[in-house]
Amino acid sequence: MEFSIRTLSPETAKTGCVVLGVYTDRELTAPARRVDQKSKGALRAALADLSGRLGSTLLLRALPGVAAERVLLVGLGARKEFAEAAFRDAVRAAATALRELGAKDTALFLVDLKVAERTLSWNVRHAVLVLREAFYRFDELKQKKSPALSLERITLPLPPAAALAQALAEAEATADGADLARTLGDLPPNICTPTYLAEQAKKLAREFKLDVEVLERRDMEKLGMGSFLAVTQASHQPPKLIILHYRGAARSAKPVALVGKGITFDTGGISLKPAAEMDEMKFDMSGAGSVLGAVRALAGMKAPVNVIGVVPTCENMPGGHATKPGDIVTTMSGQTVEILNTDAEGRLILCDAMTYAERFKPDVVVDIATLTGACVIALGHVASGLFSNDQKLADEVREATDDAWDRVWQLPLWEDYQEQLRSNFADFANVGGRPGGAITAASFLARFTRNLRWAHLDVAGTAWRSGREKGSTGRPVPLLVRYVLRHAGRK
Ligand code: BES
Ligand code: MN
Ligand code: ZN
């Protein structure tokens, strides 16, 4: 799929399909009005069959006075209500219709619509991200593949400008990163193992000339990562701690560290999960996937930043060697933890990974984890949970998410919650009971990040979809990329 920015007229564009927007009450957008004039009212005549309801579509062929083979009309809803979500819905509806067509190329005359307070760069980024998301397929493991997409080229009809070219490059790289995260998430847990993730990181390193390091079990033992090792000890798959360095800025610029939970399958361990929907615990490496995806995106667009991806990855299995509820382990930080529930394993691998990340003297650390079912109960599948020990950082992340339309909601990290982690036998326990489960999980991590400016994203509700549309979403790659770019001063 190739995108380009070029000045075009909707009536003379020689393309397989011209996409035009129509608001409710048959209110035409400027390019639609122009096509209507050139076609001597043929467009307006066809509008009897289009409601203008957001996401509705109507395909017209061989419109008189129009060079394109097809005109695809897309309902935009009421003009007064047209904002970010509506723009994305309209582009998605266009993508769904375009999938079914034989057109090889198309010109998207939706891209210059006024979207609330957003700039054209925002429109370009979101048009590309939504289209790429809509055309994503995961059928490599099916004998019968879905038919190949005939669409090869998409023109965004806008006057060329440096800012727009940059937005396009950023969006395409972000889409590549989100694609990678989705593919890793969708891959089954017998293929996407810790070793596989390490191989993918090495592949990224070769392709984008990054430095990569993969720590093995014996390295972790030497480092004293008793907590991480407790999670992996019943698995037949070797654990890995992957470190990826992307250097796009001066050596003196402190890096942003992204730390992703990489449980390639979470059975719960001895605190075994129920059978129903356990397959979805293959997505428990989504945080890791989003870190690899974000690094790929930033390296792909040659972003002027230093980023370190840190990915602790292993399986959480039951077995004769498994950690038992009541076991006490010593973390790399020296703090001891009573493991009361082996299913609260994400925090056990993340805490050692974040202690390890301290050696890179990062400016900020952001961890991304499918950490708690409680976060899904609190925020559903719309917002990821945001926690931070630094309000300025939390605000920066929140602003980036508005921009990326990959949204988060902040929850408190007050000391009051630490009480729930009290243990009679160790420094603290790894679980704090059901009340505020997403917050006590974050509070556990906070005990390992006292020396860091740190934010935690709980993506348990947003990293994948269940049911008929089951699959990875690629979130929060767009958010991470936007955050890092804004952090480096790019708007
Ligand atoms: N990976 C799960 C969290 C999860 C569960 C994400 C369901 C999405 C859907 C995590 O490792 C886990 O099992 N958390 C436990 C923590 C509890 C034992 C304190 C949970 O949420 O039930
Ligand atoms: Mn678990
Ligand atoms: Zn888990």
Side-chain angles (χ1 to χ4, degrees), residues 7 70 83 184 192 292 295 364 410 444:
T7 314
R70 310 166 184 79
L184 293 173
C192 186
L292 297 183
V295 170
V364 298
Q410 191 178 356
F444 177 94

Side-chain angles (χ1 to χ4, degrees), residues 266 273 316 343-345:
D266 182 10
K273 287 182 180 297
N316 185 21
D343 197 11
E345 84 297 341

Side-chain angles (χ1 to χ4, degrees), residues 261 266 273 281 284 341 343 345 370-373 431 460 464:
K261 171 178 173 183
D266 182 10
K273 287 182 180 297
M281 283 299 120
D284 212 18
N341 189 320
D343 197 11
E345 84 297 341
T370 48
L371 204 62
T372 65
V431 291
W464 76 87

Side-chain angles (χ1 to χ4, degrees), residues 243 273 347 395:
I243 325 283
K273 287 182 180 297
R347 59 199 81 179
D395 291 342

